[in-house]
Amino acid sequence: MREYQRSVWIIVGCMFMVAYGGQSQAASVPDNAEPTVLQLSMGEVVGLTLRNNLNVQTTYLSRVLEKFGIEQAEAKFEPNVNIDGTVNLETIERNKRMRGDAQKASSTTKEAGAKATVDQKVPTGATLTFTWDNTYKDNSDGSLSYNSASGSVDRSNSKSGGHTSSWGIDLTQPLLKGGGIDYNMASVRLARIQEQRNILNLRDTLSALINEGVNYFFTFVQAKENLAIQEQALGRSKRLLETNRLKMTLGRMSQSDVIQAEADEASQELSLEQTRNSYDDARRNLLNFLNLDPNIVIEPVKEDYPIITPDLDACMVVAVKNNQSYLDKVFAVTEAETRFMMTENERMWDLSLKSGYGEAYSNDNPGYNHTDTEFKAGIELSAPINLWGADYLDRKQVLLQAVADKRRAKIDLEKAETDLQTTVANTVRNVNMRLKFISLAKRNTELKALQLQNENTKLMTGRSTNFQVVTYQDQLVQAQQDEVASSIAYLQSLLELDQLLGTTMDTWKIEFKQNDAALEKELNDEVRPLIWTWW
């Protein structure tokens, strides 16, 4: 399918040959402005789609979030570092008066603390936790009292507080439930599979947008050719009417035959206006999809490319490697097997090995400093035995679901392979048949043109009628339009095959960007100040 791009414009060239008359422009532009003419090839349509179409931008926005999801999953075994700080400053003053006596008391509290915690999970399931906790306290209390009877004044002051610091490291290693490299790496493997899905989805989304843009271009070219065909048809009707009027003047044709020619001319004028409207719709739809000025006049660029006849076996090999729907079922089998393994692990008892060491320093009492150390080691077992009831049924339901999902995934994969073979075969056959239709439609056009030419000759000698000539004219118009339509249908079938095989990017020689680095940096720069500020 890499050669497909070269096949397209030989068909477009044939379409231009069908319309051998003059071309008409239906662009709507202001009377006082020269319309902008855009020379447009299919390759340029593809490039403009990727650069201008707004759906491409929203797709890459979603991709930034998807990429962040895999980064979160991959960070499972990175250290989790947190620092928590507290400060408390408080002053309290109390005054009391009673029958000439007075009492005043005040207290000041100063507290500060900082705690750092580092959690590290390892692929075996073990969790390593380091904690460092520091606190500082300074409390000052004072009182002043006056006794009116004795005239005495009493004062008192007291201080308390100090500094404490402790650190510790703890290790917990699950031996049954939650233990093992396979179990703890499972979530990362599932995230990586989802990331592969996301990349394939991005590729197919961009491919679908490319094909949509090229289809808009094909529709425009078809409308342009149909417009030329209708102009030729109107020209033939006008010439037939002039001939009939001359014959009527010479007394060789009746008025009724002339009216029939006039009716045919009016019909062709109506068809021309309808076709012109369709042409302008196609032009505007293409410009809208490409996010360009709707007043631009488009002129397709002619290029020559060879015809492609895809091989079924080669296409099947490519489809198995690239088709998103099939690969999704392949991924589903791996996911189901991984989740079954996780379910098997989670049914086991919770048996964990625990150990730790810590030190604590304190000088909270004046003149008395002390350091404490602690070492601990042990084993912890949680062993629920569900013999019957709701807990037993819940346990069984989870296991049944995991087993059923694993078997269903394999069945779905087998069906997906059969469906892919059928779809690829049908699509390849459709491409080859559409190619045959082009030659048949071209032969039909040639015969209809020859048939009309012979009928015009017979009309000049009085051996035919206006009705027969008009009928053959209409048949020629239909044959020309069918030839254009068959060419477009062939090109569209190639686009459909490319989408099915996942080779659209290769066909148009586009480098597939899995991420938009500039957009990702822009979003990260916007949120970074918010991450590192807490007020």
Side-chain angles (χ1 to χ4, degrees):
M1 294 301 296
R2 291 176 181 267
E3 298 295 326
Y4 149 60
Q5 185 184 0
R6 295 191 224 130
S7 72
V8 177
W9 273 106
I10 190 171
I11 305 301
V12 175
C14 294
M15 290 156 52
F16 277 107
M17 292 176 63
V18 172
Y20 49 83
Q23 303 292 322
S24 172
Q25 294 182 347
S28 174
V29 295
D31 294 337
N32 58 350
E34 287 292 330
T36 302
V37 179
L38 176 63
Q39 301 287 333
L40 200 59
S41 67
M42 282 190 299
E44 290 167 339
V45 169
V46 173
L48 287 171
T49 297
L50 295 177
R51 289 193 300 271
N52 291 4
N53 189 269
L54 299 180
N55 290 328
V56 175
Q57 300 177 30
T58 58
T59 299
Y60 274 107
L61 276 173
S62 300
R63 180 68 191 127
V64 173
L65 300 179
E66 292 171 353
K67 185 182 177 185
F68 184 71
I70 186 63
E71 290 176 359
Q72 283 182 302
E74 296 279 3
K76 179 178 181 179
F77 301 110
E78 294 181 4
N80 186 24
V81 182
N82 292 294
I83 299 176
D84 184 18
T86 60
V87 176
N88 179 32
L89 300 174
E90 184 178 40
T91 299
I92 301 175
E93 185 174 308
R94 298 182 180 89
N95 294 294
K96 184 177 181 181
R97 294 179 183 274
M98 184 176 64
R99 296 180 183 179
D101 294 340
Q103 186 177 15
K104 181 178 182 180
S106 64
S107 65
T108 302
T109 301
K110 300 177 182 178
E111 296 178 346
K115 183 178 181 180
T117 304
V118 180
D119 294 321
Q120 174 72 62
K121 194 168 182 71
V122 296
T124 62
T127 301
L128 189 65
T129 303
F130 173 78
T131 304
W132 184 27
D133 194 0
N134 292 271
T135 60
Y136 170 79
K137 292 183 180 180
D138 184 7
N139 298 324
S140 299
D141 296 298
S143 65
L144 176 66
S145 62
Y146 170 73
N147 190 312
S148 60
S150 62
S152 62
V153 177
D154 295 325
R155 293 182 175 84
S156 65
N157 293 285
S158 66
K159 285 190 175 184
S160 64
H163 169 252
T164 62
S165 178
S166 64
W167 66 271
I169 185 168
D170 295 287
L171 174 66
T172 302
Q173 173 62 63
L175 301 178
L176 294 177
K177 180 180 180 180
I181 295 177
D182 287 343
Y183 177 81
N184 286 278
M185 287 296 296
S187 60
V188 178
R189 287 197 294 269
L190 291 175
R192 289 171 180 170
I193 291 174
Q194 184 58 45
E195 174 69 358
Q196 289 180 281
R197 273 202 184 95
N198 293 337
I199 292 173
L200 288 176
N201 183 65
L202 173 65
R203 183 204 66 187
D204 280 13
T205 299
L206 295 178
S207 297
L209 288 172
I210 289 173
N211 288 346
E212 186 177 359
V214 175
N215 273 320
Y216 274 121
F217 181 74
F218 288 161
T219 301
F220 168 74
V221 172
Q222 183 177 12
K224 186 178 181 67
E225 298 310 308
N226 287 341
L227 181 60
I229 290 170
Q230 286 300 143
E231 288 178 340
Q232 296 163 26
L234 178 60
R236 286 192 295 267
S237 296
K238 288 181 178 294
R239 289 192 295 272
L240 178 62
L241 178 59
E242 292 174 359
T243 301
N244 289 348
R245 284 174 175 170
L246 177 60
K247 287 185 176 182
M248 185 182 68
T249 302
L250 298 175
R252 296 174 55 187
M253 181 169 287
S254 65
Q255 178 68 29
S256 60
D257 287 336
V258 175
I259 293 175
Q260 186 177 30
E262 291 175 345
D264 177 59
E265 181 189 34
S267 177
Q268 295 299 337
E269 287 178 345
L270 175 62
S271 296
L272 178 61
E273 289 304 316
Q274 292 172 338
T275 306
R276 183 175 286 117
N277 182 64
S278 298
Y279 165 82
D280 199 50
D281 282 344
R283 181 185 62 85
R284 288 180 179 273
N285 288 338
L286 175 58
L287 291 172
N288 178 65
F289 182 81
L290 299 178
N291 199 24
L292 297 175
D293 182 358
N295 293 318
I296 291 177
V297 176
I298 302 174
E299 189 63 38
V301 176
K302 297 181 182 180
E303 297 175 85
D304 293 331
Y305 296 94
I307 301 299
I308 294 298
T309 55
D311 177 72
L312 176 58
D313 293 335
C315 287
M316 193 63 209
V317 171
V318 175
V320 169
K321 294 179 180 179
N322 292 341
N323 183 263
Q324 183 185 9
S325 297
Y326 174 75
L327 292 177
D328 183 68
K329 301 303 181 184
V330 175
F331 295 151
V333 171
T334 304
E335 287 176 325
E337 291 175 344
T338 301
R339 290 194 173 96
F340 176 73
M341 178 272 297
M342 296 174 69
T343 303
E344 279 189 312
N345 180 282
E346 291 165 359
R347 71 181 171 81
M348 294 188 288
W349 285 343
D350 189 356
L351 178 63
S352 299
L353 178 66
K354 295 187 174 182
S355 63
Y357 177 80
E359 290 185 1
Y361 167 81
S362 176
N363 67 345
D364 50 354
N365 292 324
Y368 178 68
N369 301 334
H370 62 91
T371 301
D372 299 328
T373 61
E374 178 185 70
F375 175 78
K376 56 185 178 182
I379 191 166
E380 181 179 354
L381 174 64
S382 175
I385 302 176
N386 310 121
L387 297 179
W388 198 251
D391 292 339
Y392 165 81
L393 295 176
D394 289 343
R395 175 183 171 91
K396 182 178 180 179
Q397 190 273 336
V398 172
L399 292 169
L400 280 175
Q401 185 69 52
V403 172
D405 288 346
K406 186 170 69 169
R407 294 193 179 186
R408 184 183 298 111
K410 292 180 179 179
I411 294 172
D412 289 344
L413 176 59
E414 184 178 350
K415 183 177 183 299
E417 185 173 357
T418 303
D419 291 344
L420 182 63
Q421 291 174 348
T422 302
T423 305
V424 171
N426 288 340
T427 306
V428 169
R429 185 184 67 252
N430 183 54
V431 171
N432 293 328
M433 288 302 298
R434 294 292 180 185
L435 182 58
K436 291 181 180 179
F437 291 165
I438 293 176
S439 59
L440 294 175
K442 184 177 181 180
R443 176 60 176 163
N444 184 49
T445 300
E446 293 171 350
L447 293 175
K448 294 299 183 183
L450 183 59
Q451 187 180 42
L452 176 60
Q453 180 182 352
N454 293 337
E455 203 64 28
N456 277 324
T457 302
K458 291 166 64 177
L459 179 65
M460 296 301 294
T461 59
R463 292 185 295 116
S464 184
T465 63
N466 268 346
F467 175 78
Q468 197 66 31
V469 172
V470 169
T471 299
Y472 287 162
Q473 284 181 345
D474 292 341
Q475 290 179 359
L476 176 58
V477 170
Q478 187 61 53
Q480 290 174 323
Q481 292 177 345
D482 289 345
E483 183 178 350
V484 173
S486 64
S487 300
I488 293 295
Y490 169 70
L491 299 176
Q492 289 174 333
S493 68
L494 286 174
L495 294 179
E496 181 183 351
L497 180 60
D498 256 338
Q499 184 77 22
L500 179 64
L501 301 183
T503 55
T504 300
M505 296 289 188
D506 295 333
T507 294
W508 297 104
K509 295 179 174 58
I510 297 172
E511 182 182 357
F512 174 44
K513 294 195 307 179
Q514 298 182 4
N515 307 287
D516 189 333
L519 177 61
E520 184 177 355
K521 181 179 183 302
E522 181 181 343
L523 294 181
N524 284 324
D525 289 344
E526 185 173 346
V527 302
R528 187 173 290 109
L530 302 177
I531 297 174
W532 291 102
T533 55
W534 294 270
W535 54 85

